[in-house]
């Protein structure tokens, strides 16, 4: 589904991503982990097109998208959820999702009220129902809670029926119950959509991921199934050396 | 917004309807001076409506809107100079010419953002201003005389005819901007204003939507310019001057940027204040400046924001 080869990204003298390979198969949940500053978010931004790669290539479903702008990649099937909540605050939840759905259709319509577009609203309602947000359909996005924003973002991504979903720390700042619900949802979604998951929470990573890529200082140091990654000597060294935050979680699963 | 098929109007919308109805009856007073001022207000309100599409809904602070207003007036004047007085042709040329100009200048200006965008729009408009003073065929500093246009039996040289035609086009402008903002296109434009990065990641190319908004706004400003040429029976470089762009922005902020009826309130209050204050002193701007600051402090959404029911945060819906 996604094939990344030799991807590099520098900011001045700082190498954020160096020669990274990454493959995501259809229906796979592929987690990218690593200590802070490992280049995870940069990698997502380069794949999504917000940042341009300095070297390497990105293939989506066999098509080279390395030089395509963000909006063209989105149309080619990349859905996105940002690390920091990104919704349209002055629109209702339903409108947020309907605008996302509209991106695949014709938006150069100037007279009819978009709010009254039954087809778009119906698709938006279905997507909201899927993430469990139907009861908030007519709430202004700007007035919703953090957990609901995360759900809303997923609904916005899903409504366009992406073939690849890029999720940057989807559970960050969520309560325990909310994040359990989200994990269940992601598992369901992965039946039809490949997912690239950047996540700090090792519980989430090890319970969801089919495969894990580990980054450290911008380089890929390991890639494999959760048991393989857990057993990797280099990974353990990086995580134990990186401080106490991730190490206990890592040990727990070992 | 729609309640069982009937359009529910906000407080600002009701106030606007009352105001427009009042204007429709105003000529009964048979004061030529009043109809002259009224026509001027309608024209400026129409130009401000077009600017509102860019500033209020597109988040694009254009400081060169005089370019399209003036271009509309000059299109009418040039045709008049060469003997074409038919309204349909003159107005089509004004609207089409301004739209084309907006397409060209917008394509260039929209490459940059923020303060640079403000400066480049200003620079383009000033270039046209200086061009108009320099080209002798356009009358140079003196401008061009205009023989008012005719639409069949409607002769815009008649004060009352021009008054009602302008009022009608103002109402049309209000309806058009209301529908446009609520349309599929409009909500994408507002979405890009609110969160450009999010809209890109959904698959929208902001440049296309902004450029189209620019062209639509240019066309509407050109229409206002064509009316202005008929009102003045003249097209002069003054219409392209940056101070017109500034006045339009002031009217927009005063009335309520990002509110459909804001431009109407803005143009009316601006003209009233100007007429009243300039009667006392030629330095009327000295008093108007602080008054504007006060209005903006009291209501972030200008005069339109003072009316209950004009949802301030929900900028798309304010009528």
């Amino acid at each position: 589904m996604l094939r990344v080869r030799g991807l590099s990204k520098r900011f001045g003298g700082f190498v954020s991503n160096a020669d990274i390979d990454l493959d995501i198969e259809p229906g796979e949940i592929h987690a990218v982990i690593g200590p802070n500053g490992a280049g995870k978010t940069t990698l997502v931004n380069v794949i999504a097109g917000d940042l341009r790669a300095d070297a390497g290539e990105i293939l989506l479903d066999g098509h080279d998208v390395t030089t395509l702008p963000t909006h063209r990649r989105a149309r080619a099937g990349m859905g996105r959820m940002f690390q920091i909540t990104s919704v349209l605050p002055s629109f209702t939840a339903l409108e947020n999702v309907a605008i996302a759905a509209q991106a695949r259709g014709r938006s150069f319509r100037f007279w009819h009220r978009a709010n009254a577009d039954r087809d778009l609203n119906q698709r938006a309602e279905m997507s909201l129902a899927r993430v469990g947000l139907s009861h908030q359909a007519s709430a202004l996005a700007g007035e919703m809670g953090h957990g609901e924003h995360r759900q809303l973002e997923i609904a916005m991504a899903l409504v366009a029926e992406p073939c690849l979903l890029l999720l940057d720390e989807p559970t960050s700042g969520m309560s325990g119950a909310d994040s359990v619900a989200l994990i269940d949802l992601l598992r369901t979604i992965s039946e039809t959509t490949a997912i690239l998951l950047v996540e700090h929470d090792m519980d989430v990573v090890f319970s969801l991921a089919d495969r894990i890529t580990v980054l450290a200082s911008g380089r890929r140091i390991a890639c494999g199934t959760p048991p393989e990654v857990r057993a990797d000597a280099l990974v353990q060294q990086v995580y134990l050396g990186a401080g106490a935050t991730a190490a206990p979680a890592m040990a727990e699963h070992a | 917004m729609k309640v069982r098929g009937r359009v529910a109007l906000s407080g600002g919308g009701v106030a606007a309807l009352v105001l427009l109805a009042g204007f429709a009856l105003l000529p009964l007073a048979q004061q030529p001076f009043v109809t002259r001022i009224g026509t001027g207000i309608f024209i400026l309100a129409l130009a401000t409506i077009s600017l509102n599409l860019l500033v209020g809904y597109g988040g694009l602070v254009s400081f060169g809107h005089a370019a399209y207003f003036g271009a509309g007036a000059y299109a009418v004047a040039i045709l008049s100079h060469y003997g074409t007085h038919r309204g349909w042709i003159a107005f089509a040329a004004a609207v089409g010419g301004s739209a084309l100009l907006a397409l060209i200048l917008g394509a260039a200006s929209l490459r940059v953002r923020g303060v640079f965008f403000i400066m480049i729009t200003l620079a383009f408009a000033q270039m046209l201003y200086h061009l108009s003073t320099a080209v002798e065929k356009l009358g140079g500093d003196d401008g061009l005389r205009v023989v008012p246009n005719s639409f069949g039996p409607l002769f815009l040289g008649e004060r009352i005819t021009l008054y009602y035609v302008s009022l009608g086009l103002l109402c049309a402008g209000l309806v058009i901007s209301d529908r446009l903002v609520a349309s599929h296109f409009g909500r994408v434009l507002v979405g890009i204003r609110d969160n450009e990065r999010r809209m890109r990641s959904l698959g929208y190319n902001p440049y296309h939507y902004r450029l189209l908004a620019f062209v639509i706004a240019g066309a509407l400003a050109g229409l206002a310019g064509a009316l202005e040429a008929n009102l003045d029976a003249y097209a002069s470089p003054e219409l392209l001057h940056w101070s017109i762009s500034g006045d339009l922005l002031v009217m927009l902020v005063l009335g309520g940027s990002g509110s459909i009826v804001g431009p109407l309130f803005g143009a009316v209050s601006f003209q009233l204040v100007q007429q009243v204050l300039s009667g006392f002193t030629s330095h009327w701007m000295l008093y108007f400046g602080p008054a504007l600051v006060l209005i903006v402090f009291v209501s972030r959404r200008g005069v339109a924001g003072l009316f209950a029911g004009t949802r301030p945060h929900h900028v798309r819906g304010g009528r």
Side-chain angles (χ1 to χ4, degrees):
Chain A
M1 186 51 57
L2 181 76
R3 192 179 154 93
V4 174
R5 284 291 170 270
L7 194 74
S8 296
K9 178 69 194 172
R10 285 181 305 276
F11 296 101
F14 178 73
V15 179
S16 188
N17 285 165
D19 198 24
I20 289 178
D21 293 349
L22 183 72
D23 285 284
I24 302 181
E25 307 300 331
E28 181 187 23
I29 299 186
H30 194 121
V32 174
I33 63 171
N36 285 329
K40 304 183 294 287
T41 295
T42 302
L43 179 63
V44 175
N45 281 335
V46 172
I47 292 173
D50 283 6
L51 295 172
R52 197 56 62 89
D54 294 320
E57 62 175 9
I58 304 165
L59 300 176
L60 180 69
D61 215 4
H63 303 287
D64 188 349
V65 299
T66 317
T67 55
L68 288 187
T70 305
H71 66 95
R72 296 273 304 274
R73 295 189 204 194
R75 283 175 168 258
M78 273 192 202
R80 182 93 190 266
M81 177 170 170
F82 291 92
Q83 187 176 6
I84 294 162
T85 297
S86 184
V87 295
L88 306 169
S90 68
F91 292 88
T92 66
L94 186 73
E95 286 169 331
N96 266 270
V97 185
I99 289 171
Q102 195 183 309
R104 288 296 182 84
R106 294 189 306 126
S107 286
F108 292 103
R109 296 167 65 186
F110 305 94
W111 189 253
H112 291 288
R113 295 197 182 278
N115 275 342
D117 189 324
R118 283 216 192 108
D119 176 51
L120 283 180
N121 288 345
Q122 216 164 19
R123 283 159 63 198
E125 277 162 16
M126 276 167 56
S127 194
L128 280 177
R130 211 170 154 194
V131 302
L133 212 53
S134 298
H135 60 290
Q136 285 282 53
S138 53
L140 277 183
E143 294 170 359
M144 290 165 66
H146 178 75
E148 289 173 338
H149 276 155
R150 303 310 270 175
Q151 289 172 291
L152 178 57
E153 279 204 75
I154 293 182
M156 289 167 77
L158 283 183
V159 78
E161 292 169 5
C163 58
L164 173 67
L165 209 48
L166 306 173
L167 306 177
D168 198 349
E169 300 197 18
T171 61
S172 73
M174 271 185 140
S175 70
D178 282 350
S179 90
V180 168
L182 186 66
I183 290 167
D184 284 343
L185 176 64
L186 292 181
R187 204 172 273 131
T188 323
I189 293 168
S190 73
E191 285 163 17
T192 51
T193 309
I195 295 177
L196 173 70
L197 174 72
V198 171
E199 185 57 71
H200 266 304
D201 188 330
M202 291 300 151
D203 290 335
V204 176
V205 169
F206 281 92
S207 67
L208 266 181
D210 298 307
R211 282 195 300 161
I212 300 173
T213 290
V214 187
L215 299 185
S217 307
R219 293 185 177 278
R220 187 179 83 164
I221 60 165
C223 176
T225 62
E228 286 168 0
V229 167
R230 220 176 279 150
D232 192 291
L234 191 55
V235 174
Q236 297 209 347
Q237 189 193 330
V238 164
Y239 265 90
L240 289 170
T245 46
M250 202 75 171
E252 210 172 279
H253 287 278
Chain B
M1 209 179 293
K2 269 192 171 182
V3 184
R4 289 197 195 111
R6 292 177 63 190
V7 177
L9 283 176
S10 63
V14 172
L17 279 183
V18 171
L19 193 59
L20 290 170
F23 275 126
L25 299 175
L26 198 60
L28 296 178
Q30 300 208 322
Q31 299 280 337
F33 176 68
V34 172
T35 49
R36 172 78 171 73
I37 295 209
T39 310
I41 289 176
F42 305 154
I43 292 170
L44 286 174
L46 188 59
T48 311
I49 286 171
S50 76
L51 184 61
N52 192 22
L53 293 175
L54 296 182
V55 178
Y57 297 101
L60 301 164
V61 181
S62 163
F63 202 174
H65 218 54
Y68 316 109
F69 185 63
Y74 266 97
V76 169
I78 292 167
L79 284 178
S80 173
H81 188 67
Y82 289 104
T84 305
H85 310 300
R86 264 207 234 141
W88 299 114
I89 296 172
F91 275 61
V95 170
S98 292
L100 184 64
L101 185 67
L103 178 68
I104 296 165
L105 299 189
S109 318
L110 288 168
R111 302 272 170 197
V112 297
R113 310 301 317 278
V115 174
F116 298 106
F117 178 78
I118 298 176
M119 296 320 282
I120 200 170
T121 51
L122 172 64
F124 276 135
Q126 282 299 93
M127 274 167 55
L128 287 181
Y129 167 76
H130 288 291
L131 194 70
S132 72
T133 60
V135 177
E136 272 181 40
K137 287 230 164 165
L138 295 179
D141 282 330
D142 299 331
L144 289 175
R145 282 179 58 85
V146 173
V147 178
N149 298 125
S150 297
F151 289 87
L154 287 180
F155 177 54
L156 299 187
E158 294 282 348
R159 284 270 179 257
I160 288 295
T161 306
L162 185 61
Y163 180 92
Y164 280 112
V165 167
S166 301
L167 181 59
L169 288 175
L170 167 61
C171 293
L174 287 169
V175 171
I176 287 170
S177 67
D178 182 49
R179 297 300 296 236
L180 192 66
V181 168
S183 74
H184 292 77
F185 170 79
R187 71 180 182 184
V188 173
L189 187 66
V190 174
I192 291 167
R193 180 199 68 186
D194 281 1
N195 191 342
E196 178 174 349
R197 191 164 177 228
R198 174 35 101 185
M199 294 300 279
R200 277 184 201 278
S201 76
L202 290 178
Y204 293 105
N205 183 355
Y207 184 77
H208 292 160
Y209 292 87
R210 288 186 169 135
L211 185 57
L212 193 53
F214 228 79
V215 171
I216 295 169
L220 215 49
L223 178 63
L227 289 170
E228 183 72 32
N230 277 280
L231 177 65
D232 298 341
Y234 226 83
S236 75
E238 297 303 312
L239 297 177
L240 289 161
H241 196 251
W242 70 267
S243 58
I244 294 279
S245 303
D247 284 352
L248 293 176
L249 274 172
V250 168
M251 281 182 257
L252 181 58
V253 171
L254 179 65
S257 169
S259 149
I260 295 296
V261 292
L264 173 64
F265 295 134
V268 171
S269 3
F270 185 83
Q271 289 301 315
L272 284 184
V273 170
Q274 184 177 3
Q275 292 299 329
V276 172
L277 285 183
S278 62
F280 294 111
T281 165
S282 58
H283 302 297
W284 67 276
M285 267 288 187
L286 197 63
Y287 302 93
F288 181 69
L292 180 65
V293 172
L294 196 68
I295 289 263
V296 173
F297 268 116
V298 172
S299 165
R300 290 291 301 276
R301 293 254 156 240
V303 177
L306 298 175
F307 295 101
T310 306
R311 291 163 289 176
H313 58 275
H314 203 246
V315 291
R316 296 161 306 122
R319 291 154 183 266

